[in-house]
Amino acid sequence: MARIVAGLGVPHHPENPSTIARRDPEDETAKLYACLEDLLDQARPDVLLMFDCDHMNAFFDTVPQLAIGVAAQTSGPNDATPSVAPTTIPVPEALAGHVRDACIEDGFDVALSRCFTVDHSILVPLHYLRPAHDLPVLPVFINGLLPPVPDAGRCAALGHAVREAVAAWPDELRVAILASGSLSLEVGGPRVAPGSIFGEPDRTWAARAVQLLAAGDLDALTAEATRDQMAAAGNVGGEVLNWIAMLAAIGSTPATTAQVGPRAGDGYGFWTVEP
Amino acid sequence: MSAHEVGRLCRQVLTDEELVAALLADPLAAMAPFDLTDWERNALLAGDVAALHRHGIHGLLLSYLTHAPVLGLDVATYSTRMRGVV
């Protein structure tokens, strides 16, 4: 049967690939990504399930609260991410369909996306963590950008449903779960920093979220990640929902490593579930 | 929903170099294919991102206008105007 072997979480700033070289030993961000790349390699995953917030690229005219991409492959970036070449990514279509079916049976109205492309929120993590694009990616989309975003408890329950769905898959498969996104980030809104289109409105929250993620304290994180808190964290503060779903999916274990990044709204973490 | 149409224009700026070139050359003409209200068109021409944000367009989409940049919205100008909302 399929097993969840690891969890991880990283930010996905679209400017990173053009400004931060992979595995640059002089750059703190590159070193964090490199550490997680190595840990992911050691986990020997067969599939990477990604909890992700599409940035109004794959879903613009119609935006589902939850969706799973069920296709043989996807491609991107659909948002002209600098220094990320057009890329085709395999998708484990049968497993993706199974996960969606199982989540629906568990009471989640998960939209089906049969033909979709992906943006920087998928491709920037892969750029740093799996540049060969040899690992099938199963995208689980959560609307973390357009209010009202899903409730944190709902996303934790989704993570549990995904966990059970993976366990019910009959084939031997090692699955890693990745959360893509920041914990406090404002993009283009009123709380951007002077001279910038980015801001980190609630660095205290980002640090708190990393602390709870590191401890594997899903209950506290879910309770504290209210809609008001996510909004206070920035206009993409809902990306924490990906981390909540990931933590629930891996079984809420303490992290192998977790820390706030050089950008104070970011977290980087890895959870070893099975050696 | 016209605010959605403004968002569509912003999103298209990110990936459509022809639209970018048209906005740089003749912004009013470049906006013609989009179903915008007079108010929206004028706000875009003025680069009034704060007003457009209040109108309901997500900051992420508005930030795409700094691509190129178009409508006079270099990052410094954008930031100053958007921060004025607070």
Side-chain angles (χ1 to χ4, degrees), chain A residues 2 12 27 38-39 108 112 118 121 162 171 199 203 213 236 271:
Chain A
H12 55 235
D27 186 278
D38 293 341
L39 288 169
F108 292 90
L112 169 65
V118 291
S121 59
V162 166
D171 297 341
R203 297 179 177 189
L213 286 160
V236 300
W271 288 255

Side-chain angles (χ1 to χ4, degrees), chain B residues 6 9-11 17 29 35-36 39 45-46 62 73 76 78:
Chain B
V6 175
L9 182 153
C10 294
R11 178 170 169 263
E17 292 305 321
D35 186 17
L36 305 172
W39 182 89
L45 289 171
L62 289 169
L73 290 166
Y78 181 103

Side-chain angles (χ1 to χ4, degrees), chain A residues 2-271:
Chain A
R3 305 190 312 280
I4 293 172
V5 297
L8 64 166
V10 291
H12 55 235
H13 302 291
E15 68 276 13
N16 277 1
S18 62
T19 58
I20 300 173
R22 277 180 35 80
R23 306 191 73 91
D24 180 355
E26 303 299 316
D27 186 278
E28 291 306 311
T29 297
K31 288 194 288 185
L32 286 167
Y33 275 120
C35 172
L36 299 188
E37 180 183 16
D38 293 341
L39 288 169
L40 183 62
D41 282 347
Q42 291 167 26
R44 297 176 287 114
D46 299 307
V47 168
L48 186 62
L49 187 150
M50 293 182 70
F51 286 110
D52 175 61
C53 298
D54 175 68
H55 289 51
M56 294 174 275
N57 291 302
F59 308 113
F60 182 71
D61 293 314
T62 303
V63 182
Q65 288 291 72
L66 303 172
I68 289 180
V70 182
Q73 63 184 38
T74 185
S75 62
N78 58 18
D79 58 351
T81 310
S83 299
V84 176
T87 305
T88 298
I89 303 164
V91 176
E93 186 171 13
L95 178 63
H98 162 78
V99 170
R100 178 177 173 265
D101 290 351
C103 288
I104 289 173
E105 288 301 312
D106 217 359
F108 292 90
D109 298 325
V110 181
L112 169 65
S113 186
R114 286 198 179 285
C115 184
F116 61 98
T117 54
V118 291
D119 64 25
H120 66 278
S121 59
I122 294 282
L123 281 162
V124 170
L126 293 178
H127 172 85
Y128 288 102
L129 299 173
R130 199 73 176 202
H133 298 295
D134 57 334
L135 203 56
V137 172
L138 195 167
V140 179
F141 298 106
I142 297 174
N143 168 35
L145 270 60
L146 298 178
V149 301
D151 175 78
R154 189 76 171 143
C155 291
L158 174 69
H160 289 137
V162 166
R163 177 180 180 78
E164 291 178 10
V166 170
W169 182 252
D171 297 341
E172 285 293 323
L173 216 56
R174 296 173 65 87
V175 180
I177 312 285
L178 187 147
S180 179
S182 295
L183 301 165
S184 176
L185 184 63
E186 176 94 342
V187 184
R191 292 167 293 173
V192 296
S196 176
I197 58 170
F198 301 109
E200 295 142 5
D202 197 340
R203 297 179 177 189
T204 301
W205 163 246
R208 173 63 174 166
V210 169
Q211 177 187 32
L212 294 174
L213 286 160
D217 195 342
L218 179 66
D219 288 344
L221 180 60
T222 301
E224 294 182 30
T226 62
R227 286 197 176 98
D228 285 346
Q229 174 60 77
M230 287 189 277
N235 62 2
V236 300
E239 290 178 352
V240 71
L241 295 171
N242 295 327
W243 292 75
I244 288 169
M246 177 276 293
L247 189 63
I250 65 167
S252 307
T253 58
T256 302
T257 177
Q259 64 185 86
V260 175
R263 289 173 74 160
D266 292 342
Y268 295 78
F270 194 91
W271 288 255

Side-chain angles (χ1 to χ4, degrees), chain B:
Chain B
M1 297 290 289
S2 58
H4 185 60
E5 195 67 356
V6 175
R8 187 187 308 281
L9 182 153
C10 294
R11 178 170 169 263
Q12 199 168 321
V13 163
L14 197 61
T15 58
D16 186 344
E17 292 305 321
E18 287 187 12
L19 174 61
V20 169
L23 284 167
L24 290 172
D26 187 342
L28 186 60
M31 292 181 202
F34 296 89
D35 186 17
L36 305 172
T37 66
D38 289 343
W39 182 89
E40 290 166 343
R41 199 172 299 110
N42 290 333
L44 283 165
L45 289 171
D48 194 347
V49 289
L52 289 164
H53 185 264
R54 289 191 298 270
H55 185 54
I57 297 125
H58 199 287
L60 174 73
L61 294 173
L62 289 169
S63 74
Y64 295 162
L65 297 175
T66 61
H67 180 62
V70 297
L71 304 171
L73 290 166
D74 56 84
V75 171
T77 301
Y78 181 103
S79 183
T80 298
R81 290 181 186 173
M82 183 59 83
R83 285 167 52 81
V85 171
V86 178

